Every structure is written in structure tokens, then in C-alpha cells.
Amino acid sequence: MAGAADSNAKSTATVISAPKSNTNTPAANLDSFDIPLSPNAITDIVHYKAADSIALNINSRQAYLFRQGDIHYQDMNLTADSVAVDFNMQTMTAASLSDSNGSSSAGKPVFRQADAEYIADTIRFNYNTKRGIISSVITQEGDGYLHGDKVKKMNDSIMYLSSGKYTTCNYAHPHYSMNFTKSKMIMGDKMVSGPAYLTIEDVPTPIALPFAFFPLTHGRSSGIIIPSYGWMDSRGYYLHDGGYYWAINDNIDLTLLAEIYTNLSWELEAKSQYYRRYKHRGNFDMRYGNTIEGLKGDPNAYNTYSDFKISWQHQQDAKANPYSRFSADVNLQSRNYNRNTTNRNDYFSSTTTSSISYSGKIGNHINIAASARESFNAQTGLMNIKLPSLSLNTTTFYPLRRKSVSGSYRWYENISLSYTLAAENNINAQDSEIFTPAIFNKMNYGLQHNIPISSSIKVLKFFNWTNSINITERWHWRSIEKTYDTLTGMVITDTIKGFRANHDASFSSSISTRIYGIFNFKRGWIKAFRHVINPSISFNLHPDFGKTFHYWKGYRDSTGYEHRYSIFEQSLYGGPVDGRSGQIRFAIGNNLEMKVGSIRDTTLAPTKITLLENLNISAGYDLARDSLNWSDLSISARTTLFKCIVLNFSGSYSPYVIDQHGRKYNKFLWETDNRLFQRQNSNYSANISYSFNNQTFQKSDHKEAPKGEIQHPIFQTPYSFNPAVMMGTYVDFSVPWNLSVNYSLTYVNSYVASQLNYQENITQTLSISGNFSLTEKWKFAFSTGYDFANKGLSYTSVDIYRDLHCWEMRFNWVPFGYYKSWNFMINIKASSLKDLKYEKRRSYLDNQGYYTY
């Protein structure tokens, strides 16, 4: 060797090439000496190192790196166990070194340039022209991997491959691939090959193409969506969800889909997603189709109808504008849409709701909001539309406060004032009436003004005294008048159009406090009880505006009984209540908690347990009435047991005698039946919701057994194992599973005047769902319930999922009922080849007319 060799060169060195005169002057400084630069000179710094040795041949201008060689030059990096650099030819050659058995699997060359990485047996590369020949290469492009026996790299963007294959499996020996003899690849764009065929586990299949096109983009790209195909008993053969995806730009896309059946049923769909960072995000979906059922000419079975669905969700980013916000959640559909949907979430949603809202500020003290809302019942066809719905309110201000305050506020400085305006147009109509002139008669609109004045004062340190005056005015453009027809015995209601306003005012005053009672235990695991009592007394005064301004009128039936009614009872915001009132109301709220210590570890802090979340008791006495002064006694309670059982109770009890028509008499119950109260109505409800999982019964200090290591992140080993489990020394409880149970019971007992008796109504629902992983690859999920009314199982579904590494298998099964169906699919995971799949299904639409729920 003409140069020097260092067998122990394990440190990083930096060298700059020189002209053939062997000068050591850096190339970057040659311009100052006017010395011509050799065309073979490298123009940047080269960083190189090796774990074993580095050898330099000055005469032949060659360098050799052995064992873990690593060379960095500009945006290129080459690592291998054997690297040779020829400065005359401007080439780098890399290969692996053979071990004692002659195997060359260790230290394979890895070449990196920009975002590209190539793993190969040998690499020969010209660092000036950036051309090269690579043997037995594996590289990743997008979400796929390219394998080639020989690759010719033309430049940074174009490569030619011979005897190659494309796969999305990240194993060095892939589970499947599309094999081809030659291809051209444009980096970051696409790859086009000649004849290609599919192989699975190295077994060729009859699936072949005269040529193949593989997109290699890292982001979204436009392209054709391949439809799925199959058979439905009710509609024949079909092509489903085929169309075109258009990546318009980075902020918005558009998907056009279609499906068609051999009985000439069809559906079109257009959907789009849009997003602007720190501005907004949303999606839009519109579907329209025509369905044909039965055979033409059969009057009993043939039917044709159209259906549609429009959905739009829009969310404004909180950073876009702190003073205004726009949002939309629109769901519009035809009455027939749920008959054809394949989405299980639409199976049981007969009612849809939509809303579009905007909120903002005017100046610093006025808040405005505008919205449009809609609800639609697909079974009845009834629509409720609130368009527009406007509101305006001012911030709370204190007109009597001083501009500069020293010390605490005086009592009158806490008097607050605000203003609220609400306006709305409400429409209740059938869907067939929406775009007809009859819709104008269905409009019910109005406007309401409200001015609340309030003050809160602390009395004797422990009492809160709150006083308020509420002034309300309502504007309507219609009122009613009722008369009794003695001939027919019917009540006739006439609608009177024209502007009518009503006024209302009330005064209320209340005083409340909070009392704490704590009882401590010196021994035992129960440490203490705490009882919190919230007593309050209030007075509400309401003048009789209905009588003064004739807002309430009456008519007498054939028995002479006078029925009172409000002329605004069908108006949007209604009117004042009938009569005057001066009610004193008493209320007591209760909360009960306990603290318990740990039986095993006395050093742990006690745990708080809520025994009774609330128990409220209230009653009132009206000073303004001439009879029936006492109101019903109201009792409500709520508690939660074991963090999963929620119990609720509410009821009202009257102290007066009630006749068979549900009317009260001014006579106390204890005068006739020797009891204080009788039940008016009562509600009981219980809800049990609990979830179990694999960690529910495990100790917190449980440690999992170590698992076998995984190899290189790009090429993982096909199987991982748990050594302790395989040797039988450890029981594996780490299999994830989850089971959720939900049960609700509602009992309502209320008086029904038409039946002259109390009516009981019991409602029960039970649902169970769960999922578990039998292994790391197998996952099962199910959901079911019990229908107490029909005494049978409710909608039940079973889902099975199998992770096949680069493939996946799904099976969904609804075993019985109206929606009895199944769907099986096995497909490639990667989105670039998602259309390479096998799918079989039976739709629930094939059951119509044959199965009943």
C-alpha cells in the first residue's frame, strides 16, 4: 500500500479530498491559489468511521472501511461491514462480510438519501452523478415495500427494477406480494410495471394483470375507487361503493360514490372533508337513491320510492375568533331512508335533529346568538322547525356601585340588573307541507323581553338573603277564544290573528344557610359521619295580571263548572299564570357521607363514601288564596351505591281530599281518612351500570412477565413469545377483556282523570356488551339486551376480528331479528391496496317479508 493503514481506527475521522498532486490543502481553499480543481474531486466534507479498521491508498486514491463502516456525504449515508471508496471513479461500493460459515447475512449495506432507505446485498453508487446499481434491495415507499433482484438508480427520483415485487408486508420474507419482471418507479409518485401476478406465501395465484400501477405518495392522492360486488336476494347482483376520490388540495377533498343493482335500484353519494388549521374543520355527506322492490306488474309486491340523506358537521376552532363562534350539525333525511340503510347506527334512530348556530358579541356588554333547529320523526313524518331563533342579552351590571371602591361593597351596591331578548318562529308540520302555502298557517312566532333585578346580602355571617324582581313582556301575533257548544257538547277554539302583548312581574325573597353535623368514632374502621343540612325559606309574590288585563277567560260546561283558559295558551311564549299568589315555601336539603379507614393498612388516609347524595323535602303555603292554601309535599332523593348503582325517587303528596275526577276539595285528608297525605304521583328509578375488565380484580403491584425482544423495526420477526408462559412458570392474566352491563328500571304511578284511577307504568331496559382478545391476534366483541315488553332478546350482534399482520379478517353477525344478517371480509390493511379483498355478505334487506321481530 502506498498509503497508511490503521488496524485500530475506531474513532471518527474527517477528510477532504485533494487533487492528484496529493496536497493536503482543503478543496474549499484552492480558489485563493488559482489552482485548477480536479474534475474527480469531491466538493464537500466526508465523515467516515469504522469499528475495525480504515485503510487509505494514496496512490490509487482508494479507501476501505471494515466492520460497521459509516460514511456521510452531503445528504447521503452509507453503512456496511465492507465499504470501498474510489475517488478516481467517484464511486462507493458496499457489501456485507462473510462469517466463518461463509454466510454474508451480517452487516448488510444500508443506503440512505433524504427520506429514502435501501437495504441490499451489494451497493455500487456514484456520489457525483447519484447513479447506482443495487443488488437484492428492499426499500420502503409510502406504505409499501419494494423488493428487487437488481435495481438501477438513475437519479434522485427515477429507478428501474428487474425481477421485483411490491408488498405492504414489512417482513423481509413477505406474506404476499405482487410479482413483476420489470418496472419503473418515480420516487414519491408512482410505480408502473409490466405483467404482474399475486403470490401468497410464495404460491402464485391466478390473479394477474397485464400491467400494474402502484401509487407511492405519502399523503392523499386522487384516484379511482374500486367497487365491491355481490348478490342480494331482494335486488340481485350489485356493484357497491365504486367511484372516484379527488384530493383537491391539502385542505379539502371530495369523494363520489355510486351503487347499482340488477333490478335497477341505485344510489349516488358525494362526501367531502375540509380543514383549516386554527380556523375550522368539518365534513359534508349527501346521498340520493331510488329503490325498487318486488316484480313489476305485481300489485301486491311491487314498489318504488326515492330516499335521500344530507349531513353536515362544522366546528370552528377555539383559536379562530374568541368573540364569535359558528357551528353546524345538520342531519336531514327522507322517511324511507332507514328502510335501506346498511349502517347499524341508523337502525334505531327514527328521529333526527339538526342545528346551525352562531354566537358573538356587540361591544363589550351585549351577547347575541342566532340559530336554526329542526327535528324530524321518520315514522310519523312530523317536523318541528325553529327558524330563526334569536337571543340577545346584556352582561350583568351594577348601576349603584361607586367608580372607586375602598373597602367592601355597601348592601345596595350589590343590586344587579340585566336584559334578555328572545325571538323565535316555530313550525310544526308534516314533511309533505314544508314547501306548500299551508306552511304559513303553521308558523307560531313571538318575542319575549325579560329584565331581572336581584341582590344578595350576607346576614349575620351565616345566612344568604337573596331578593329579586322579574319583569317580563311577551309579544304575540295570535290569541285564542274558547266557547262551549251546548248542542254538541264540544269546546270550540277560535284563533284570533293580530298583535297582542302581555305583561308579567313577580317578586321573590329567600334566605338560606348550611348546617354541618359531624360525628367521629375513636375505634373501628368507620371513622366519621357527616350530615349537611341546607334549610331555606322563600316568599314569592305574583300579582293577578291575568284578571287585570283579561289574559284569562272562562266558559261553563253543561254541568255549570267553569273552565279557565289563557288566551295565550297556544302562543309561543304563553302568558302570565292565572290568579295572584303570595306563597311561602319551606325546603330542606340533606347530604350524608361517611369516612372509612383501611382494615389492612392503618397508615392509609380514610376514604369518603357518599351514603345519600341528596334528600330534598319542600312544601308551601299561599297567602293570597281563599282556599287550598297548602301546596303538595314534594320529596326527591338520589344516591349511588358501589359506584355503579344509581337510585332516584321523586313524589308529590296532597293534604287535601281528591275526588274521582282528580279535583281537589278544600278539606284536609286527616278530617276524612285520618291520614295527613295521599299520593298524587310518584316516580322511582334505578340504574345499574358497571364495567369489568382484565384489571378489575388484579392487584396494583402486578407485574407482567417479560416478552421476547422484537427485531429491526422495519422487518419485525413474525412471532413474539413469552418465555415464562411457555415454560409453565407464569399464568398469563394479561389477556385484555371488557364486559359492560346496563340495567334501568323506572316506575311511574300517576293519577289519570280519564280513567278515574291511578295508573302504573313500569319500564325496564337491559343491555350487555363486551369484547375480549383470545390471543394477541384474535378479538371478539358482542352486544345484546333483553326486551322486557316483548319478552325476548333485543338487537344482538357478534363481531370477530383476526389480525393477519399485513392482512385482516372481519366477521359481523346479527343472528336473529328483523336485522338478521352477516358480513365476512378479508382484506389488506394498507390503504394503497385496500381494494384487494374478498367479501361475502347477506343483507338484512333480504329478510323483509320473511322474518319478523
Side-chain angles (χ1 to χ4, degrees):
M1 284 238 178
D6 182 10
S7 61
N8 296 319
K10 297 182 181 180
S11 60
T12 302
T14 302
V15 65
I16 301 177
S17 68
K20 294 183 179 181
S21 59
N22 292 333
T23 177
N24 290 325
T25 304
N29 296 329
L30 293 178
D31 292 340
S32 59
F33 296 96
D34 295 329
I35 300 176
L37 188 64
S38 169
N40 297 327
I42 56 178
T43 59
D44 207 342
I45 298 175
V46 178
H47 299 272
Y48 61 92
K49 64 180 180 180
D52 183 88
S53 59
I54 299 174
L56 299 176
N57 190 320
I58 303 301
N59 293 330
S60 62
R61 305 188 73 246
Q62 294 178 338
Y64 303 91
L65 287 78
F66 299 96
R67 298 295 180 191
Q68 301 179 20
D70 190 350
I71 299 177
H72 286 267
Y73 176 67
Q74 294 178 345
D75 64 340
M76 295 172 285
N77 172 238
L78 179 64
T79 60
D81 269 3
S82 174
V83 181
V85 182
D86 190 329
F87 293 100
N88 291 318
M89 301 297 296
Q90 297 181 323
T91 59
M92 290 187 291
T93 304
S96 57
L97 293 178
S98 302
D99 54 20
S100 59
N101 296 324
S103 175
S104 60
S105 59
K108 282 191 173 184
V110 178
F111 177 77
R112 299 178 181 89
Q113 184 176 16
D115 295 331
E117 179 176 308
Y118 308 91
I119 301 176
D121 286 347
T122 59
I123 296 176
R124 181 177 175 84
F125 183 73
N126 188 301
Y127 52 78
N128 186 26
T129 62
K130 298 187 178 181
R131 293 187 176 187
I133 299 294
I134 308 174
S135 300
S136 301
V137 65
I138 302 176
T139 182
Q140 182 177 2
E141 283 295 330
D143 55 2
Y145 298 87
L146 284 171
H147 299 241
D149 288 347
K150 181 174 286 188
V151 175
K152 185 176 182 181
K153 191 173 186 298
M154 302 303 296
N155 50 44
D156 290 344
S157 60
I158 297 177
M159 291 196 309
Y160 292 94
L161 290 82
S162 65
S163 300
K165 52 189 174 183
Y166 177 83
T167 180
T168 59
C169 181
N170 62 351
Y171 288 163
H173 192 81
H175 291 123
Y176 83 98
S177 63
M178 292 294 296
N179 291 25
F180 49 83
T181 56
K182 58 183 178 179
S183 68
K184 178 180 179 180
M185 182 177 70
I186 301 176
M187 306 284 287
D189 187 9
K190 57 182 174 289
M191 185 185 75
V192 182
S193 74
Y197 59 94
L198 175 67
T199 62
I200 300 177
E201 296 291 352
D202 293 333
V203 178
T205 68
I207 301 177
L209 299 170
F211 65 92
F213 174 87
F214 303 97
L216 302 178
T217 55
H218 294 273
R220 299 179 301 171
S221 60
S222 303
I224 296 174
I225 300 174
I226 306 298
S228 60
Y229 62 91
W231 163 267
M232 287 180 60
D233 292 345
S234 59
R235 302 184 187 181
Y237 292 101
Y238 64 82
L239 292 176
H240 189 267
D241 285 342
Y244 187 78
Y245 175 79
W246 182 19
I248 301 174
N249 53 45
D250 293 338
N251 298 323
I252 187 171
D253 63 4
L254 177 64
T255 303
L256 301 174
L257 299 174
E259 62 181 61
I260 189 169
Y261 301 82
T262 52
N263 76 334
L264 301 183
S265 297
W266 55 270
E267 182 180 82
L268 300 176
E269 180 181 7
K271 56 184 179 180
S272 175
Q273 299 183 71
Y274 56 90
Y275 169 76
R276 287 192 65 186
R277 190 177 183 184
Y278 303 130
K279 293 294 184 181
H280 54 252
R281 67 171 63 238
N283 60 80
F284 180 83
D285 191 349
M286 180 174 65
R287 303 183 182 189
Y288 182 82
N290 185 71
T291 301
I292 299 176
E293 295 177 347
L295 298 176
K296 193 172 183 178
D298 187 346
N300 298 322
Y302 182 75
N303 186 26
T304 178
Y305 55 87
S306 300
D307 58 83
F308 71 90
K309 182 175 183 179
I310 299 174
S311 62
W312 175 39
Q313 285 77 39
H314 177 90
Q315 292 181 348
Q316 178 178 311
D317 195 288
K319 300 183 180 68
N321 191 329
Y323 302 107
S324 66
R325 186 170 184 84
F326 176 80
S327 63
D329 186 3
V330 177
N331 298 278
L332 302 175
Q333 69 177 51
S334 61
R335 219 193 270 201
N336 297 319
Y337 179 78
N338 284 1
R339 297 176 58 180
N340 300 309
T341 179
T342 56
N343 187 338
R344 70 172 66 180
N345 295 325
D346 294 333
Y347 287 164
F348 310 106
S349 54
S350 59
T351 301
T352 62
T353 59
S354 303
S355 66
I356 300 175
S357 61
Y358 169 81
S359 61
K361 298 188 70 174
I362 301 176
N364 296 325
H365 303 289
I366 300 177
N367 301 314
I368 60 171
S371 65
R373 293 182 173 86
E374 174 268 348
S375 65
F376 173 65
N377 189 308
Q379 294 181 347
T380 63
L382 183 64
M383 296 188 71
N384 174 256
I385 302 174
K386 297 179 180 180
L387 175 68
S389 179
L390 307 173
S391 68
L392 181 148
N393 62 82
T394 63
T395 57
T396 302
F397 62 95
Y398 302 85
L400 301 180
R401 279 189 178 177
R402 294 162 289 173
K403 292 184 179 180
S404 58
V405 180
S406 60
S408 59
Y409 292 113
R410 298 184 177 94
W411 68 269
Y412 57 84
E413 291 183 309
N414 287 323
I415 297 176
S416 62
L417 178 69
S418 63
Y419 168 77
T420 301
L421 168 68
E424 188 174 276
N425 177 34
N426 196 315
I427 303 173
N428 285 293
Q430 289 290 322
D431 54 351
S432 58
E433 299 175 317
I434 296 301
F435 299 106
T436 64
I439 195 66
F440 294 102
N441 295 325
K442 302 285 186 176
M443 293 183 178
N444 189 6
Y445 42 88
L447 190 146
Q448 178 175 269
H449 309 266
N450 182 256
I451 301 176
I453 304 172
S454 63
S455 173
S456 181
I457 305 171
K458 202 81 168 178
V459 179
L460 301 177
K461 295 184 179 180
F462 302 107
F463 297 91
N464 295 317
W465 185 19
T466 303
N467 299 277
S468 64
I469 299 174
N470 202 336
I471 303 172
T472 304
E473 181 170 341
R474 308 172 185 92
W475 294 354
H476 297 116
W477 279 262
R478 58 194 267 179
S479 58
I480 65 169
E481 186 171 344
K482 294 183 179 181
T483 57
Y484 183 78
D485 190 341
T486 56
L487 296 177
T488 62
M490 298 179 61
V491 178
I492 300 174
T493 303
D494 294 325
T495 301
I496 303 172
K497 295 185 178 181
F499 177 77
R500 288 295 302 267
N502 63 64
H503 320 280
D504 195 8
S506 63
F507 168 78
S508 65
S509 178
S510 66
I511 188 167
S512 63
T513 188
R514 182 168 292 185
I515 303 171
Y516 296 88
I518 300 177
F519 187 82
N520 296 309
F521 294 87
K522 295 182 179 179
R523 297 180 180 180
W525 57 276
I526 299 178
K527 301 301 180 183
F529 282 100
R530 189 180 79 160
H531 184 200
V532 182
I533 305 174
N534 301 292
S536 65
I537 182 172
S538 62
F539 173 72
N540 297 278
L541 176 63
H542 188 278
D544 189 359
F545 287 89
K547 180 179 180 181
T548 304
F549 298 100
H550 306 290
Y551 300 148
W552 281 79
K553 295 182 180 181
Y555 65 90
R556 293 186 181 274
D557 59 18
S558 58
T559 64
Y561 181 80
E562 184 182 12
H563 297 266
R564 300 279 294 171
Y565 70 93
S566 170
I567 65 173
F568 298 105
E569 66 182 31
Q570 294 184 5
S571 301
L572 184 63
Y573 294 106
V577 296
D578 188 21
R580 62 175 182 170
S581 68
Q583 188 178 72
I584 300 176
R585 192 158 191 87
F586 312 91
I588 298 177
N590 298 269
N591 173 267
L592 183 63
E593 298 176 343
M594 67 182 295
K595 284 188 176 182
V596 297
S598 174
I599 300 177
R600 298 180 180 180
D601 191 350
T602 58
T603 61
L604 296 177
T607 302
K608 183 177 71 173
I609 299 176
T610 301
L611 301 178
L612 189 62
E613 294 180 11
N614 62 68
L615 172 61
N616 299 320
I617 304 172
S618 63
Y621 184 86
D622 197 335
L623 299 173
R625 286 189 173 188
D626 56 359
S627 62
L628 301 174
N629 301 85
W630 286 98
S631 66
D632 292 345
L633 176 69
S634 299
I635 302 175
S636 65
R638 173 187 170 91
T639 190
T640 303
L641 304 178
F642 312 111
K643 298 183 179 181
C644 63
I645 303 176
V646 180
L647 303 177
N648 288 281
F649 165 78
S650 64
S652 61
Y653 303 85
S654 174
Y656 295 104
V657 175
I658 303 176
D659 67 4
Q660 60 181 0
H661 299 288
R663 295 181 295 200
K664 295 180 181 179
Y665 285 87
N666 191 31
K667 181 180 290 188
F668 288 108
L669 194 63
W670 62 269
E671 296 177 4
T672 58
D673 294 346
N674 294 323
R675 53 184 176 141
L676 293 176
F677 299 96
Q678 70 174 340
R679 184 179 61 214
Q680 278 279 83
N681 57 71
S682 57
N683 300 321
Y684 303 86
S685 68
N687 183 274
I688 302 174
S689 178
Y690 199 76
S691 295
F692 308 85
N693 56 51
N694 56 298
Q695 298 180 352
T696 301
F697 307 106
Q698 291 183 3
K699 297 181 180 179
S700 58
D701 58 351
H702 173 72
K703 297 181 179 180
E704 295 184 359
K707 291 187 177 181
E709 293 184 357
I710 303 233
Q711 303 299 320
H712 192 278
I714 295 183
F715 307 110
Q716 299 178 356
T717 54
Y719 306 101
S720 61
F721 65 93
N722 189 322
V725 173
M726 296 186 67
M727 292 185 294
T729 59
Y730 173 74
V731 179
D732 188 7
F733 291 102
S734 63
V735 176
W737 58 272
N738 180 278
L739 179 65
S740 298
V741 180
N742 292 276
Y743 172 77
S744 66
L745 169 66
T746 303
Y747 170 85
V748 178
N749 189 314
S750 58
Y751 186 84
V752 181
S754 61
Q755 299 182 4
L756 306 180
N757 203 347
Y758 286 92
Q759 181 176 351
E760 293 183 349
N761 186 14
I762 300 175
T763 304
Q764 299 181 78
T765 61
L766 173 66
S767 63
I768 303 173
S769 62
N771 61 79
F772 65 95
S773 298
L774 185 62
T775 66
E776 291 184 356
K777 304 295 183 181
W778 283 99
K779 297 183 184 296
F780 295 83
F782 72 93
S783 65
T784 186
Y786 186 79
D787 188 337
F788 290 89
N790 296 318
K791 297 182 179 180
L793 292 176
S794 59
Y795 178 83
T796 300
S797 68
V798 178
D799 294 275
I800 302 175
Y801 175 83
R802 176 63 161 93
D803 185 355
L804 300 171
H805 186 249
C806 48
W807 291 69
E808 59 185 357
M809 182 199 73
R810 301 176 186 272
F811 178 70
N812 170 254
W813 179 37
V814 179
F816 50 80
Y818 179 81
Y819 296 104
K820 180 179 179 181
S821 59
W822 59 268
N823 183 37
F824 172 82
M825 184 171 66
I826 181 170
N827 62 280
I828 294 175
K829 286 182 181 179
S831 59
S832 60
L833 294 178
K834 66 179 181 180
D835 295 318
L836 189 57
K837 62 185 177 182
Y838 175 78
E839 184 176 12
K840 292 287 290 182
R841 67 169 65 184
R842 178 180 175 84
S843 172
Y844 80 94
L845 298 173
D846 293 333
N847 304 329
Q848 295 183 6
Y850 301 98
Y851 297 94
T852 59
Y853 177 64

